Amino acid sequence: MNILICDGMHESGLALLRSTEGLKVDMPDQLNADEIKARLPDYDAIIVRSRTQVTADLLENAPRLKVIGRAGTGVDNIDVQSASARGILVMNTPGANAVAAAEHTLALMLSLARHIPQATQSMREGLWEKKAFMGTELYEQTLGIIGLGKIGSIVADRALGMKMNVLGYDPYIIPEAIAILGVESVSLEELLARSDFISLHTPSTSETRKILNRENLAATRPGVRIINCARGDLVDEEALYEFLVSGHVAGAALDVFAKEPPAGSPLLQLRNVIFTPHLGASSFQAQANVSRAIASQIADYLLYGIIRNAVNFPSLRPKDFERIKPYLTLAERLGSLQGQLCTPVQRIEITYSGSDFQDVPLQPLTQTVIKGLLDPILAEKVNLVNAPILLKERQIELFSTATTEARGYTGEITVRARGTRGESSVAGTVFQGEEIRLVRLNNYRLEAELEGVNLLVQNHDKPGTIGFIGTTLGNFQVNIANMHLSRTPERDRAIAIIRLDEEAPAEALDELRRHPNIISVQQVRL
Ligand code: NAD
Ligand code: MLT
């Protein structure tokens, strides 16, 4: 597997990748977009930091690409939607640089409060201006944190250590969880109205972009100070400039900008603003952490299929992966069987029954069923990442439920499908962690292997039918590997699931269908 590292990488992760058998790593000097595009067809994975823009255009030329690794938190330099549509996994390293970003936020807040950069500059100019740089303490001042995730919560912890009062606004965290941090959970309005310092720690989303706009800045306390170490577009920079000039906002500390670098920004001219060039994650420890994290995630995915920290696929802890692993193949084969039995499918319903599914994430299994379902139908490459998108595009409804109630096995997956030509239901289990079995097909109970080419022959349960099937296949030189038989409880109908060594020709299937006892014949490849 070939990996292209585009924006450099700390030695710790690089060494891990280079010493892993089965991986070949290239880290050329800063490639531009055209150069990356020209090289991408040869790679299974790329690793970027924030410099490389992974656009839809770049991904057009990446037939082998399976995964994009972002050594950092924000994935705003990656077109995740395009990657998902192409079935490419996008992974980041959440939390690996959180301490660095939180400490940088604290450094900015203290520098802003005590004018350290301006005083440094003044001294460089030979001055000794004691009066010009009167500062403010943080002790007992109120810090309002917008976004209490990994970084926001560390900032809160450190600020509480400095005896600040900390308010938090995060509509996605319940107030009780915010209270555990020692933070007072408030609305955005209250945070704006009460804070002496406001620090932003959300991702850039349609909700958070320009969360500090003209209206919200007007609702802040006069003399407020603002710190942004998250993403530049969380602040309306034009409005901030006006509030800084008027003095309503006493100062701002900015690590991030709407356009980076912010060449020509009028903010650069203001004495009450301090800056760093997106240095939040620039500590030796953070760079080593993100490098190691992305390297092991990429290696685990390419070599073993283990998915961690994917932004376009649910993550699985290794111990959960081990638990669901045997069921992944079953899920794909049941989906595939339904994709062939019940096409075109309009609605799909998946039920996970038994204790094996207790307390494990089931979304990866559901996506695997969908992949299996769509694979035989679509010409384009279907994988776990783009399967849900393709399902939606085809307007197929999806429902999934889990029950700890066992249906005779410790783990059983049932996939019911409704299509324009009727309904069908299939269920399977895994014996001894590896033997995949189809245990139900509509009303029939079975224990059939779910593998290879199979003929599903439904017939009236009359003597001689199985013999006829065997003779007919033999006449067409088709060898039977094994066969499973089952009858309805009423004993009027039977099904034979016949595993073949190779596909039976259409003429053989037609001849079988012509027999008066045979109701239906279908060949499926699993
Ligand atoms: P996180 O996902 O752990 O936390 C983000 C928090 O924002 C979550 O708790 C979420 O609930 C909250 N949130 C989402 N929408 C919100 C809204 N509308 N209002 C209020 N809260 C909302 O992310 P993190 O790792 O803490 O990173 C936070 C930010 O810092 C991201 O933008 C990340 O890209 C950025 N970052 C910057 C640097 C840097 O170098 N300056 C380094 C690392 C991360
Ligand atoms: C991040 O999102 O991780 C930070 O902005 C730092 C970086 O760009 O690497």
Side-chain angles (χ1 to χ4, degrees), residues 2-10 14 17-18 25-40 43 45-55 58-59 65 67-71 77-78 294:
N2 297 340
I3 303 172
L4 178 66
I5 299 172
C6 293
D7 302 336
M9 192 181 200
H10 187 278
L14 194 58
L17 291 173
R18 288 204 161 130
V25 184
D26 291 324
M27 191 169 81
D29 277 346
Q30 297 213 337
L31 298 175
N32 64 33
D34 288 339
E35 289 164 332
I36 297 173
K37 193 171 174 181
R39 295 181 71 146
L40 264 192
Y43 289 93
I46 53 168
I47 298 179
V48 299
R49 291 197 298 194
S50 53
R51 189 189 68 94
T52 297
Q53 298 297 313
V54 185
T55 58
L58 203 73
L59 296 175
L65 199 63
V67 55
I68 301 165
R70 160 75 161 105
N77 56 324
I78 299 169
I294 203 67

Side-chain angles (χ1 to χ4, degrees), residues 53-361:
Q53 298 297 313
V54 185
T55 58
D57 176 54
L58 203 73
L59 296 175
E60 246 170 41
N61 199 23
R64 278 175 66 160
L65 199 63
K66 300 170 184 64
V67 55
I68 301 165
R70 160 75 161 105
T73 308
V75 288
D76 21 23
N77 56 324
I78 299 169
D79 187 335
V80 178
Q81 217 177 335
S82 291
S84 304
R86 291 170 187 279
I88 302 166
L89 207 64
V90 179
M91 290 177 171
N92 66 350
T93 59
N97 57 21
V99 169
E103 288 186 1
H104 196 69
T105 304
L106 269 294
L108 287 174
M109 183 159 61
L110 283 158
S111 299
L112 184 64
R114 304 305 289 267
H115 312 291
I116 290 170
Q118 296 91 333
T120 306
Q121 182 59 29
S122 153
M123 283 192 67
R124 280 196 212 292
E125 288 163 11
L127 303 172
W128 186 255
E129 299 183 285
K130 280 178 74 76
K131 285 201 180 115
F133 298 120
M134 186 60 70
T136 175
E137 292 178 6
L138 302 187
Y139 178 68
E140 290 191 345
Q141 296 278 295
T142 299
L143 167 65
I145 299 180
I146 302 179
L148 278 162
K150 284 174 280 298
I151 297 170
S153 56
I154 301 174
V155 170
D157 174 65
R158 306 305 193 259
L160 288 166
M162 291 195 293
K163 311 293 178 214
M164 296 186 84
N165 304 315
V166 183
L167 310 179
Y169 167 66
D170 192 323
Y172 298 102
I173 303 183
I174 54 169
E176 290 79 358
I178 293 180
I180 289 172
L181 300 172
V183 173
E184 185 184 340
S185 171
V186 293
S187 65
L188 181 59
E189 293 68 37
E190 195 173 343
L191 183 143
L192 297 173
R194 286 176 53 196
S195 299
D196 301 302
F197 290 82
I198 295 175
S199 190
L200 294 151
H201 297 287
T202 69
S204 166
T205 66
S206 54
E207 261 180 36
T208 59
R209 271 188 280 284
K210 299 203 176 162
I211 195 164
L212 285 190
N213 52 25
R214 198 166 267 114
E215 195 186 331
N216 284 344
L217 285 169
T220 57
R221 295 175 77 136
V224 68
R225 290 176 169 82
I226 288 161
I227 302 117
N228 189 5
C229 196
R231 282 295 176 263
D233 58 5
L234 305 184
V235 178
D236 179 341
E237 290 178 349
E238 226 180 275
L240 178 66
Y241 176 81
E242 288 164 22
F243 280 81
L244 282 161
V245 169
S246 77
H248 179 97
V249 174
L254 306 175
D255 182 50
V256 287
F257 305 87
K259 184 174 128 258
E260 294 183 359
S265 166
L267 287 167
L268 294 171
Q269 308 307 321
L270 297 180
R271 293 270 296 167
N272 52 352
V273 188
I274 63 173
F275 310 93
T276 47
H278 203 142
L279 293 184
S282 297
S283 75
F284 294 114
Q285 294 87 342
Q287 285 312 306
N289 287 346
V290 295
S291 165
R292 247 192 323 270
I294 203 67
S296 72
Q297 288 170 213
I298 295 276
D300 278 354
Y301 180 59
L302 290 181
L303 299 175
Y304 311 112
I306 296 175
I307 298 174
R308 276 180 289 139
N309 299 327
V311 299
N312 54 356
F313 190 77
S315 280
L316 268 179
R317 291 176 301 176
K319 81 174 195 312
D320 290 334
F321 178 73
E322 281 310 310
R323 280 186 64 194
I324 67 162
K325 201 164 130 194
Y327 289 100
L328 287 168
T329 313
L330 172 68
E332 182 159 3
R333 302 240 171 110
L334 289 174
S336 173
L337 183 59
Q338 283 292 34
Q340 296 172 74
L341 289 182
C342 197
T343 186
V345 179
Q346 292 169 313
R347 177 193 155 102
I348 185 116
E349 206 183 305
I350 307 165
T351 309
Y352 301 97
S353 346
S355 55
D356 282 5
F357 300 118
Q358 204 171 351
D359 302 326
V360 283

Side-chain angles (χ1 to χ4, degrees), residues 380-521:
E380 66 190 284
K381 187 178 94 177
V382 183
N383 68 15
L384 299 188
V385 177
N386 63 4
I389 298 172
L390 297 172
L391 192 83
K392 253 195 205 134
E393 272 174 19
R394 301 177 74 81
Q395 318 247 323
I396 300 173
E397 290 180 289
L398 170 73
F399 299 88
S400 75
T401 48
T403 163
T404 50
E405 215 172 282
R407 306 190 58 171
Y409 304 98
T410 54
E412 182 182 313
I413 303 178
T414 306
V415 181
R416 287 184 195 86
R418 195 180 67 206
T420 46
R421 290 186 286 139
E423 290 192 8
S424 84
S425 169
V426 297
T429 191
V430 180
F431 292 140
Q432 282 140 19
E434 55 183 22
E435 290 174 24
I436 291 165
R437 292 288 182 272
L438 176 70
V439 295
R440 253 178 310 109
L441 201 164
N442 299 325
N443 289 339
Y444 300 103
R445 295 203 71 89
L446 308 140
E447 260 186 36
E449 287 161 16
L450 265 173
E451 208 179 339
V453 180
N454 286 271
L455 263 193
L456 275 52
V457 183
Q458 230 195 135
N459 56 285
H460 297 293
D461 194 18
K462 302 243 172 81
T465 318
I466 296 298
F468 170 74
I469 297 170
T471 311
T472 308
L473 291 173
N475 291 343
F476 283 92
Q477 304 300 311
V478 177
N479 200 41
I480 295 177
N482 61 43
M483 186 184 290
H484 291 268
L485 304 172
S486 177
R487 277 196 299 204
T488 54
E490 300 77 31
R491 296 179 163 210
D492 56 339
R493 288 179 172 212
I495 195 162
I497 301 197
I498 305 161
R499 169 110 178 263
L500 306 177
D501 281 348
E502 63 283 320
E503 271 182 35
E507 301 78 43
L509 306 187
D510 288 342
E511 193 162 326
L512 291 174
R513 287 186 186 112
R514 278 195 289 271
H515 192 281
N517 285 346
I518 290 181
I519 302 164
S520 65
V521 178

